[in-house]
Amino acid sequence: MNKDLVQYCPALFEDETLYSWVSRWVIDTPKPYLGRILTELLGSRGKQVDSTFPSFIPELEKLSGINAHKLLNEHTVIPFFRSFVCESNYHKVISLIYSGDTKRIHKYLSITANRVNDTSELLYCPKCSKCDIENKGVAYWHVKHQLPGVSACVKHGLKLIPYVKQRRSLQLPPQDLSSSVLTIASPESLKLAKVTECLLANSFHQLDGERLADIYRYKLLNIGLASESLSVNQTELRTLLEDFWAPVMDDEAIADIFELGKLRTFPASIFYHSESQHHPLKHILIIAMLFEGMEELLMFEQSVFDYRTKPKTLTEHEFDDNENVALNTLRKGHSLREASRNSSLSVGKVKQIAVINNIKIDRREQCIFEGERVLILEKLKRHEKTKSVAIDMGFSVGAVEQILSQNPDVVEARLKRRYWMKRYIRRAKLLIAMRNESLNTRHAIQKAASVHYNWLFRYDKKWLYRHLPPKQPWHKRNKS
């Protein structure tokens, strides 16, 4: 029978789920009993074919000849979890899948602890299905449409259509799309889908929970939802998240997260238990609200941790041998560069030692060498402030700004990031102001938050008009 199954093995399409592939395989096999085919194909008829974590990859690899690594990384949602799971747990998950034992996977991914269960639906985009039929001859289930919290097709900007899972039969998306209704997806659902797909497609470094919580705190400090001591106003943040994600609250996974702990657990647990392993969707709901995407988050991360890095006050016995050499050279009245040469430390590090020990430095006229120029430019590309770069490298602000001006692409990138940061803060401040029920007209909102309103009117008018109350008719304005 296995030889017969091999000859009916269909081609595996790009972004196709394993459930979709197995369904087409079974449908194309001319055998009368579904249970018998599944037993010979997957090793047992009792295996859950539409599971998020398939336990039959070894069997599929053996029959199809397609590498298990390819099946897992390109045709399941498992890579989506990688950035938010510790490396050892992720390797255990991969090992369990390759061995066909998936019962303990939920434990290592903390899915059970986070109370986020598999949804009861499969989702498809009618336009994607139409393209599949035209190009491949059949509509199939796409991996990116089955990601937790995703309810929109990024490619076509449409709301995904749900299809209830059938446990006793194998299903493909509807092949007749003549009666399908096309619904434009909300901007919020599209943004969530973009961030989620980005995590699936790209191999980001592990996003440590405590580090992420710190990034959120600094971002919230920028928009007035955290104090100078980085204490977060959890009530305001919860309200802001609920308002922002209101258009996608009908999604099962998102609703589960907001309902945790009698509506009190999220997002507080992200901050109070940052060392714990949380479901990726919890982080994504915060990330997609606070940032334009993963790229902006990583840029902000760089700036936050550069800002937080301050020289420690060290006593002499805490320095290592090279640092003591530099310290002794400075105390003899030599320059920073002389101390740097003698100790094999960077000029910036030597200057740090001098500042800590209150040593006055005789500085020669500045001359920036090529290696230092490259280092300064790298720091500027990471969006560090010119003043902090100048202090760190031991040069004047003017010298750093001159290097910056010689690289217009870096200047443009820094300006764009500054604009994104400013735009986000203006948007958030205006949304906070609009929570006041008395501000129910555009004029009232403009008066109450004129700085933010006017900035958005000038630089972000489409977003502003999309979030303002509807225009009032002229006769009502006159009465008021």
Side-chain angles (χ1 to χ4, degrees):
M1 176 66 177
N2 280 350
K3 290 182 180 179
D4 293 338
L5 281 175
V6 171
Q7 68 175 320
Y8 293 111
C9 175
L12 182 55
F13 301 136
E14 182 183 356
D15 192 47
E16 184 176 18
T17 66
L18 294 183
Y19 168 70
S20 176
W21 185 43
V22 169
S23 298
R24 291 195 296 112
W25 197 336
V26 171
I27 291 168
D28 291 345
T29 303
K31 295 292 175 182
Y33 303 113
L34 175 64
R36 185 179 173 189
I37 299 172
L38 288 178
T39 300
E40 302 210 18
L41 183 63
L42 308 179
S44 167
R45 65 177 296 172
K47 290 188 176 179
Q48 189 177 336
V49 187
D50 59 5
S51 172
T52 303
F53 309 110
S55 59
F56 44 83
I57 285 181
E59 289 81 4
L60 292 180
E61 180 186 36
K62 186 176 179 181
L63 280 173
S64 67
I66 299 175
N67 184 273
H69 180 79
K70 177 182 173 68
L71 293 176
L72 185 145
N73 285 291
E74 297 179 22
H75 300 281
T76 74
V77 301
I78 293 164
F80 159 75
F81 292 87
R82 181 165 195 165
S83 297
F84 298 94
V85 177
C86 71
E87 201 66 26
S88 60
N89 278 1
Y90 189 76
H91 286 313
K92 287 175 185 174
V93 168
I94 300 302
S95 298
L96 288 171
I97 289 176
Y98 287 162
S99 66
D101 177 17
T102 58
K103 292 178 182 177
R104 290 177 291 156
I105 283 180
H106 288 70
K107 166 190 165 184
Y108 291 117
L109 295 180
S110 300
I111 291 174
T112 305
N114 281 280
R115 308 290 194 274
V116 181
N117 302 312
D118 286 350
T119 64
S120 59
E121 298 171 334
L122 292 166
L123 299 163
Y124 71 94
C125 166
K127 277 202 173 181
C128 285
S129 293
K130 184 180 178 182
C131 293
D132 293 340
I133 292 170
E134 290 172 355
N135 299 323
K136 307 293 184 183
V138 61
Y140 58 88
W141 302 112
H142 287 256
V143 175
K144 62 190 175 188
H145 295 159
Q146 316 311 321
L147 290 165
V150 170
S151 59
C153 175
V154 174
K155 184 177 180 180
H156 296 111
L158 295 176
K159 187 175 181 179
L160 298 177
I161 298 175
Y163 197 91
V164 178
K165 292 179 180 177
Q166 305 291 329
R167 291 301 174 92
R168 295 185 178 275
S169 62
L170 300 176
Q171 302 288 337
L172 291 173
Q175 305 299 309
D176 180 8
L177 302 167
S178 56
S179 60
S180 296
V181 178
L182 304 183
T183 306
I184 301 298
S186 67
E188 292 79 12
S189 63
L190 282 171
K191 187 176 185 184
L192 183 67
K194 284 177 184 175
V195 174
T196 308
E197 285 185 26
C198 182
L199 284 164
L200 176 71
N202 296 284
S203 181
F204 292 103
H205 63 273
Q206 187 197 344
L207 301 170
D208 177 71
E210 292 181 89
R211 191 177 180 94
L212 278 172
D214 279 344
I215 294 170
Y216 303 154
R217 287 187 181 99
Y218 276 92
K219 187 71 172 178
L220 292 167
L221 173 64
N222 288 348
I223 63 173
L225 289 183
S227 65
E228 291 296 326
S229 61
L230 299 181
S231 176
V232 177
N233 186 327
Q234 297 293 343
T235 305
E236 286 283 345
L237 178 57
R238 168 79 186 203
T239 305
L240 195 61
L241 283 163
E242 286 178 339
D243 291 347
F244 189 88
W245 295 118
V248 294
M249 279 295 187
D250 56 345
D251 183 275
E252 287 182 43
I254 294 174
D256 285 346
I257 286 173
F258 276 95
E259 289 169 7
L260 287 172
K262 297 181 180 179
L263 311 180
R264 292 194 298 268
T265 301
F266 177 75
S269 59
I270 295 291
F271 297 92
Y272 297 145
H273 303 288
S274 57
E275 74 287 351
S276 301
Q277 191 170 282
H278 296 279
H279 193 283
L281 189 54
K282 288 184 178 181
H283 284 289
I284 290 169
L285 289 169
I286 298 176
I287 290 168
M289 187 192 76
L290 294 178
F291 302 94
E292 288 300 317
M294 289 302 299
E295 185 179 347
E296 188 188 342
L297 173 114
L298 296 175
M299 288 164 57
F300 189 79
E301 176 192 28
Q302 199 59 251
S303 65
V304 163
F305 285 92
D306 287 340
Y307 168 75
R308 290 179 64 198
T309 303
K310 298 178 181 177
K312 296 178 182 177
T313 304
L314 302 175
T315 57
E316 185 171 342
H317 70 273
E318 290 175 299
F319 287 125
D320 63 23
D321 292 339
N322 287 344
E323 290 168 336
N324 281 323
V325 170
L327 183 59
N328 292 330
T329 307
L330 290 169
R331 281 178 173 162
K332 291 175 182 176
H334 295 289
S335 68
L336 287 174
R337 294 180 185 280
E338 184 69 21
S340 175
R341 277 194 295 272
N342 291 347
S343 62
S344 301
L345 297 174
S346 69
V347 174
K349 180 65 178 176
V350 172
K351 185 182 178 187
Q352 188 185 91
I353 294 169
V355 171
I356 290 171
N357 290 276
N358 298 314
I359 297 173
K360 189 176 179 180
I361 308 158
D362 293 323
R363 301 178 65 189
R364 66 174 175 79
E365 189 176 343
Q366 290 187 17
C367 176
I368 305 178
F369 298 105
E370 183 60 29
E372 292 164 333
R373 285 178 178 274
V374 171
L375 187 55
I376 289 172
L377 191 57
E378 285 300 314
K379 287 176 174 287
L380 292 172
K381 284 179 179 177
R382 293 200 301 264
H383 304 282
E384 295 184 33
K385 294 181 179 179
T386 52
K387 186 175 180 180
S388 65
V389 174
I391 293 171
D392 187 38
M393 297 296 297
F395 296 113
S396 68
V397 175
V400 173
E401 288 179 344
Q402 186 177 20
I403 293 173
L404 177 60
S405 66
Q406 293 166 358
N407 295 271
D409 56 326
V410 180
V411 174
E412 186 179 356
R414 289 168 68 89
L415 287 172
K416 279 184 181 178
R417 181 178 177 277
R418 199 173 302 159
Y419 166 76
W420 291 336
M421 296 283 289
K422 191 174 288 188
R423 183 181 67 179
Y424 181 82
I425 293 168
R426 299 295 186 195
R427 285 179 176 182
K429 293 282 189 181
L430 188 75
L431 289 173
I432 291 169
M434 288 170 64
R435 287 191 210 136
N436 188 333
E437 292 182 2
S438 63
L439 303 180
N440 53 12
T441 66
R442 295 185 177 191
H443 182 66
I445 293 168
Q446 185 181 13
K447 284 185 70 176
S450 59
V451 174
H452 312 302
Y453 185 102
N454 293 337
W455 191 94
L456 291 166
F457 180 82
R458 184 172 181 183
Y459 298 109
D460 199 13
K461 191 180 290 185
K462 284 184 180 178
W463 181 92
L464 176 66
Y465 282 166
R466 199 164 61 243
H467 289 79
L468 287 175
K471 269 187 177 182
Q472 283 193 328
W474 280 106
H475 65 277
K476 288 190 177 181
R477 295 189 205 180
N478 293 336
K479 283 183 181 179
S480 63

